[in-house]
Amino acid sequence: MKRSRWPILLALVFLGGLVGYPLAFLLLQSVFPELPAGRLDGFMDAWVRMGETPEIGRLIRNSLAWAGATTGVSWILGIPCGWLLARTDLPGKLWVRLSLLVPIMTPPYIAALSWILVMQAGGFGDLLTGGIPEPLRGFFFSFWGVTLVMALSSFGYVALAVEAALSELPRRFEDAAELLGSSWRRTFVRIVLPLLLPAILNSGLLVFLDALSNFGVPAVLGTRSNLPLLPAEIFFLVTSWPVDIALATSLSSLLCLFALVSLYGSRWLGHVFGGGAVEAGPVRVQRLSGMARRASWAFVGVLFVFSSGLPWAAMVLTSLARSWGEGWPALTLAHYGEIFTPGSRGLGAIWTSLWLSVTAATFCVVVGSWIAWVNVRSSGWLRQVLEGMATLPRVIPKIVMAVALILAWNAPWVALDIYNTAAMLLLAYVAIYITDSLNYANATLRGMGENLEHAAGILGAGRVTVYRRIVLPRLKPALVAAWITTFIVCMRELVASLMLLPPGTDTTATFIFNQFEQGDLSAAMAMATVTIGISTLVLVVFTLRRRSSPGTGSR
Amino acid sequence: MMARESMSGGDGSVFLEARGLAKQFGGTRVLEGIDFRLEPGERLVLLGPSGCGKTTLLNVISGMLAADGGTLRCEGDLLDSAEAGVHRPMRRRGFAMVFQDFALWPHMTVAGNIGFGLEVQGVDRTERNRRIGEALEMVQMSEFGGRKPAELSGGQKQRVAIARALAVRPRLLLLDEPLSALDARLREDLKTELATLLDETGVTSVYVTHDQSEAFTLASRIALMNQGRIEQIGTPRQVYREPATAFVASFLGVSNLLPAPESEGGTLVLRREEVSIHLEPGEANGVVALPGVCRRTDFLGDRQEAWVEVDEGLVLRGFGPLDLQVGQRVEVRYDPNRARLLSA
Amino acid sequence: MRPGERLRGLVPARGLGPVRGLRAARGLVVAALGAALGAVLLAALLAGCGPRDRPDDLLVVYSAGPRGLAEAVTEAFAEEHGVRVEFFAATTGQVMARLEAERHRPRADVVVFASRVAADALKEAGRLRSYPNPHGVDRTRRSWHDPDGYFHATSAAWVGMAIREAAWDPEAHAELEWSDVFLGRFPGRVTLPGPSRSGAAGDFIVARTLDLGEPAWDEYREARRAGLDISAANSQAIGGLLVGAYDVIVGAVDYLILARIEDGAPIRFHAPPSGAALVERPVAILDHTPVPELAEAFVDFYLSPEMQARVAAVHLIPVHLDVPPSEIRARHIPVEPRAIPVDPAEALAEQTRILRRFQLQVERAEVIR
Ligand SMILES: Nc1ncnc2c1ncn2[C@@H]1O[C@H](COP(=O)(O)OP(=O)(O)OP(=O)(O)O)[C@@H](O)[C@H]1O
Ligand SMILES: [Mg+2]
């Protein structure tokens, strides 16, 4: 059966317009700064300027070192957690897993803000302990402090990935080594670690890319902690004065380059040192002694306190604080009242975020699953292009995507006036997050034979019918998960929202950030609490519904 | 060759000794009262139906599991004794194992897999390489040292797994259904090859299988297991010819189990091949001859197996001529001396 | 299914999918081609069409703070002229950034800055439209306007220091100088609104740097080493001052401080004897505007005594000579401070370089303490 080519072409045009066109334009403009004006002068101007500014070299080194350190710390914190979950008889694992999810649910910039509240002079830390030692404060507002804040909000990914890999890594590999006389340590280093490498590298890559492109944490903590980083620089180059869009585009291109290099680097490492896919089997479970059990709980507990407990407490308390000054603040619900006052900026921000996130998530899931289907059921070089283009948004830093979208949709030849409207933000959300839906759908589709579809095709069902009646229902559980994921990440998306926001509109994230910049931390934290509350609510509702509806819950 | 010098010599010295080994999982007893002795160079095959506890016993021997009761000694060393609270960890037993699914480390090359155990033993690089080469040659895989396990066929993987286990010159080699993941044809070839190889190395080994032809080919002694117990232990001939229990008799080969005469009690075992079926009645010189009706035949190529009803409800299986037909009246003959009486 | 699995499904799957090795890698490389393909397709699709026409009763105003004042003025203007006003309020830096991003697709008709230097920069870039004689311009302080009529001050403010009363020592601090604060008189207790956001702070930094020359940079660096904190914007700095996180704001705009003093905050405004920076708040018309008459009417409107009264009400210095400053201002800044002398031509030539250098070497620099 020869397939028609138009679905894959359509998918290509869609992704090309959404992702390819802005990025191509960004790359071109970094080389030809006057491109939008239709001139080719100033060739490589910005790159030259970049080379001539020593501070930029410092920025780049800082960014790489910081992202690397964050990844390292996440590994140090996450791998033991993963091991405890997968390979020990630690009681209360459900709670441990939840305690890993909570920091993932907390946007890093909110965690960073909360940490400022804890650590700043006269903050909660001082109130609780009667004065944090200055060296500790100094440590917090430094490279390693900022690293720790970021790592605390991302080690959960490492832990969950390592747990997944470890709980499928059959014990015979370890038994075989141990029978040959290998010590526990040697077995771990020579056998377990290399087999875990794909999981470690993949999760590390995510953390690294996230840190490399993270704007919120350095924007909140960077200046104070004396840690200038690349994404913040790009942001300021584009959004504050003196504006230097050309330099921003070349820095963005550089950031892209780093991202791609780390992607291929980690794939290469995994290929060379890892063992490829391993068939799952029964695993070895370590019995913990009472002592070890207590120590493990202490480890997890301390991590939870630092990653969630303390920041959340600071967040909620601040959102309830009447006034700031000496000692514990008096409590009030006034800040929530302000947010929920009809017609207020806060309520407007919540509505904007909600409808944007719902629309973006729905769009991503619908279009993403369709593209994934087209991709899985086609072959040839067009498919490779499609696959590559679909991977791009996940790798390209969000801030770069935002800059690219600004340029692309502000170009003089664009007929649609969507810059300066909320549609621009919608476009950005879809462009940035469609890969998640694609991945979720892909995973299910790959495991699902084509025969089911052929069976329907033989009965005379058309393409659309096959998709709607056969493919979609099978995909449903994956799509629900993709929808929730996309919804949650859109609700908290900061940097693209800040840059693409039309005048006078706020999302919850920009509201929080603006209130922080205006110095109104109570309002910022009230909104942060509301946002996290909404995300958690959506998560819980869907989880409960999924649990109660049999047949769709198994994945 | 590969085996240790001290192990050679079949003078009745005990190499491995199990006494009353027992193992429970939760409340269920998976092993109970396991006793056996193994002489140096011997190859014990654990044979039994699925779920009878073969793997569990092997794992207890290897040290992967600790026994709940009984003792296990190797060359006089106490390896396991639940009563004395002794459990020597598997890495200090000096055994090696070949796993059912090979368990080759996928991230190492073939040579790396084989060399790992030597590395652990602290064998230096040149000696290691020499011994890796030797082991590869032994299993006829010399060209494959640089490959990764994913690039090998099933049979090749199994050879590497065997080479990996033998390369360290283990005191005792444990094999858990090493051929069962292979297809029938390959299994047949590898079976003889493995027997030859193990004979050449002279290594003492314990081999788990549920395939009796494998057991017969490979075993110097067979331990027949059922429901966590050893029903009988002996040479292949002994267990086949002189089954100690009805279970053994029915598990090995095909036997007719008949109720013994009232006076003696117990069960009468009569192997299928001892029963011959004839179309014409013949002289009965010392042979039992019973008339019957053929109820079913099964064509086997060179002969036919037949089920003959000799008495109301009493059916005997035996071999008969190729022109035997269902419904024919026939005569069944057997030598009563070949029938074994098992007391109840 | 173990519970963890269910939870795991809900974690944002930031996975790049299974590592599919070189095949996907080749795909990504080819994706560059695909991107170009997409670009060409889209460009072809959209080429030739310019931005849409705008209705002629719509005025787009981008304005730097204070938001309340800007809102009040635009609303009053919309009402009086029966037109619609689209309005974007932000800091001077953000307004400039937006203008830059929209250079090839302009939208704004009128901009209001909190910085003369910003307006100068736009004038220099040829992006402003001259309006030599706004209605009633004679009754305003002409020296604050652009001599060529490209922009007109709507008001002005002084940039000095704000100090907590608790930290203020009338004897020791009467003659408090910029250098004292920069060189560590209040270590770890000083903040400066980020010049890349706050136009006023930007003007102050430009003025001081030009005034002092190279030694100014040593001062800034020394200040950072002594723990100078750069706030995101004026309000964050003031918030920090009120909470007690800081004792001093350098580069504080007076009208914001006066508003807080009016609310009873225990802080004061201080202009160092060597001079404070005078920051005019110019309004300008962009040269491409499709509604020049409406834009000019807006400028006239802003300079009218009624609107100038509103300017005075938020404690800015009105540009109109007939409108008196607010009572709080008259009480707290009774005499005009000395102004740091600035040569406008030099400021224009140097400002980008200075501000950029300030960002790289001070504001966002990693300072070795
Ligand atoms: N970890 C365990 N927990 C509980 N029961 C177990 C465990 N391992 C094995 N069993 C039970 O112990 C019995 C013996 O298992 P074992 O694996 O030793 O059987 P086997 O003889 O090797 O069977 P097969 O030929 O199928 O491999 C089985 O009934 C099995 O269900
Ligand atoms: Mg078994």
Side-chain angles (χ1 to χ4, degrees), chain B residues 262-327:
Chain B
E262 302 274 315
S263 56
E264 302 179 59
T267 316
L268 208 56
V269 179
L270 191 56
R271 293 224 167 264
R272 180 179 58 176
E273 61 269 26
E274 306 292 351
V275 178
S276 58
I277 297 161
H278 302 267
L279 292 173
E280 307 294 331
E283 302 140 54
N285 41 6
V287 176
V288 179
L290 300 170
V293 179
C294 177
R295 289 298 175 206
R296 199 189 137 183
T297 62
D298 210 351
F299 178 64
L300 296 176
D302 54 341
R303 52 190 167 168
Q304 257 193 141
E305 184 185 6
W307 281 253
V308 177
E309 190 170 4
V310 289
D311 202 355
E312 186 78 7
L314 184 64
V315 176
L316 286 181
R317 292 170 76 176
F319 292 121
L322 287 170
D323 50 354
L324 190 63
Q325 303 273 326
V326 173

Side-chain angles (χ1 to χ4, degrees), chain A residues 40 143 155 242 257 266 297 338 409 537:
Chain A
L40 293 185
F143 181 91
F155 78 97
L257 193 73
S266 80
W297 265 106
E338 270 165 44
W409 293 98
L537 194 74

